[in-house]
Amino acid sequence: MGVCSWAYRRMRRCRDHNSAGRCGLPTICRLILSVVALGAAGSALALSCDGSTAPDDKQLFWGDLHVHSGYSLDAWGFGTAASPADAYAFARGAPLTLADGRTVTIGQPLDFMAVTDHAEWLDLMYVCTDPLARDDPYCRILTERNTPATGSEVFREYVIPTITKAQPQLPTLCEAEPELCRTARLSQWQRIQAQTNEANEPCAFTTFVGFEWSATPGFSHTHRNIIFASERATADALDYLRYPTPRLLWQALERQCRAEDGCEALAIPHNTNMGDGLSFDVESEAPEVLALRAKYERLVEVHQEKGNSECLPAFGATDEDCGFELYVTKRSRPAAAEAFTREEWERMRSSYVRGLLLRGLDGYRQSGVRRLNPLKLGLVGSTDNHMGTGGFTDEARWPGPQFALGDIDRTMQRSDFNPGGIMAVWAKENTRASIFAALKRREVYATSGPRIRARLWAGPGASPCGAPPAPGSVPMGGTLDAAPTGPPALHLTVHAQADRAPLTRIEIVKGELKDGELKERVLTAWQQPDGATDLCVTWQDAAFDPNTPAFWYARILETPTPRWSAYHCRRAGRCDEFPQADRWIRERAWTSPVWHLPAPGS
């Protein structure tokens, strides 16, 4: 496979220079890569990129599975011109010019990425902008007012009328000419796939075909990113206009993305902090719907530019534990806590990630002999970047959100935004098959931007860092032995390495269903004010009950550093005008949980 990786790079250089010679891969390499693309890399016999066949030889890869290019209406509307190909090039280190004229580079390239443009307007973008560029009066605002200063006009004209209605509304142009828009939508989807597949370079840089399903009924965000395992994808990008509920989305994936055709997909919810508690109705869903949810929704985005979704303080309380990069909204509008009733607040809390994990335990209890946890979610971070600059999370260099570029007064109006997060996976190699397998088994974690290295093991004994895990242990994303007589004690081992700032605290967040009541606790496993750069900590849960459904995840905090908004106001010499901007934050990482799920009623 190492030889094939070299041959693949040679083929790409050949094509890039328009060589008249043959620019193909050797036959054996085409065969190997086609098998890998269909998922064979998950088997014990699959070759790794360096020739190793060790089944537990995993590496850490960094990526972003939530990035928008100029093919997204809201990105284009505020001036983004980057194509998916441009976005992938930026992720590998190429410079990119933003809507305000400045040129940026990522600094630390990514290992994998997905461009997830909004499915709802692929047709409109193809017809009005590129390549048809139709001169239709309906397109005028879209093509003449798409700048950072006037993009809100584009948003009001096209975005709000289509995706915020309980009954989705097609763009006027598409209502008048449905066949035109159907053809345009398919063409745009094919263009996205072609650029994504062309950018994929096994063993060097992995790209995933994907799109965003952007349901916003009543202005409440219930969005999902759909990520495909290989080049096999649905014939069409599934949008909220034709599939207006998560159930219809999953059912469409069942029909159009079949394993027997080599297609596999995941649906990743994001911005649950802006969902007003919607779209996680596990207490009332039928068993077949719960099964679809559990099949497709194995991950949740805990951090991105529109806020953190880990947890929300209890009603009427101030809680530093849940105070990081909070962006509290009511139907997508920023709102103070006083704007909510207790019922609204608690419903909103229930769809933050910690609330979802707790509800999953209760759903598991109610599933009885089916033993299904409908919210068994690994944690990932992404940017939701709308400039084509995925993975660009450096607080000191981030220009601000795309919706407020170029002017500090406008930028400070969006100061509740942040650069977003990134995700890390522990996988054997940098290929679609290997990384997607890690996503499925939830051996992934999120950070708020820095590249903090982290591993979590849980089991009956300590797992020394740098040595094979103790017998019976599982990594993040795994499930411990569910036998009623499980281990007499639970040990969690966390290995953490700092990025640019020292690490000062490791916390264990525990949730359990104890005596019929859902409970959560945040426990300090290690702390040191001066910080450390490389540490291995084993924490024992003395209160572990082998008969109680539970989960644990680690939260790793850095020493405080300046927030992006502080850099902006300091450079402008105007922090006295924007005091809320000049502050410090503790960047952090969140591992995926480990679960203990004994038989219900044991």
Side-chain angles (χ1 to χ4, degrees), residues 34-35 37-40 228-234 250-266 292 295-296 436 440:
S34 65
V35 170
L38 291 176
F228 294 95
S230 69
E231 78 280 0
R232 304 292 179 87
T234 51
W250 304 326
Q251 290 173 339
L253 286 172
E254 282 286 283
R255 294 191 302 270
Q256 297 188 37
C257 183
R258 302 187 306 168
E260 54 265 38
D261 297 328
C263 185
E264 191 173 7
L266 292 173
L292 284 175
K295 175 182 178 179
Y296 288 108
F436 194 85
K440 279 189 65 178

Side-chain angles (χ1 to χ4, degrees), residues 316-340:
T318 300
D319 183 0
E320 182 182 357
D321 168 48
C322 297
F324 178 72
E325 291 292 9
L326 275 184
Y327 183 56
V328 177
T329 66
K330 192 172 187 179
R331 299 182 182 86
S332 297
R333 304 289 185 186
E338 294 75 25
F340 296 86

Side-chain angles (χ1 to χ4, degrees), residues 312-469:
L312 187 67
F315 184 73
T318 300
D319 183 0
E320 182 182 357
D321 168 48
C322 297
F324 178 72
E325 291 292 9
L326 275 184
Y327 183 56
V328 177
T329 66
K330 192 172 187 179
R331 299 182 182 86
S332 297
R333 304 289 185 186
E338 294 75 25
F340 296 86
T341 65
R342 177 181 290 273
E343 181 182 6
E344 290 171 334
W345 186 266
E346 292 303 327
R347 185 169 62 246
M348 183 168 59
R349 285 186 79 217
S350 75
S351 64
Y352 274 66
V353 170
R354 202 182 293 175
L356 294 175
L357 294 173
L358 288 166
R359 290 168 67 188
L361 297 181
D362 197 38
Y364 176 78
R365 177 186 61 81
Q366 294 183 43
S367 71
V369 295
R370 290 185 296 116
R371 300 185 66 175
L372 175 71
N373 183 339
L375 292 170
K376 193 177 180 185
L377 301 168
L379 309 188
V380 299
S382 287
T383 58
D384 192 14
N385 183 283
H386 281 65
M387 297 178 279
T389 54
F392 189 33
T393 59
D394 187 341
E395 301 275 341
R397 298 174 58 233
W398 192 57
Q402 170 68 4
F403 315 111
L405 280 183
D407 179 273
I408 189 170
D409 293 285
R410 192 163 58 243
T411 299
M412 288 300 104
Q413 291 177 5
R414 298 273 188 168
S415 63
D416 284 340
F417 279 44
N418 72 89
I422 52 176
M423 61 184 295
V425 304
W426 285 101
K428 187 173 181 182
E429 58 189 10
N430 192 359
T431 61
R432 283 174 168 172
S434 188
I435 291 177
F436 194 85
L439 297 174
K440 279 189 65 178
R441 68 176 181 266
R442 309 176 186 87
E443 199 169 349
V444 300
Y445 68 93
T447 88
S448 59
R451 299 192 180 193
I452 301 168
R453 294 175 62 91
R455 294 205 86 168
L456 170 70
W457 293 89
S463 297
C465 294

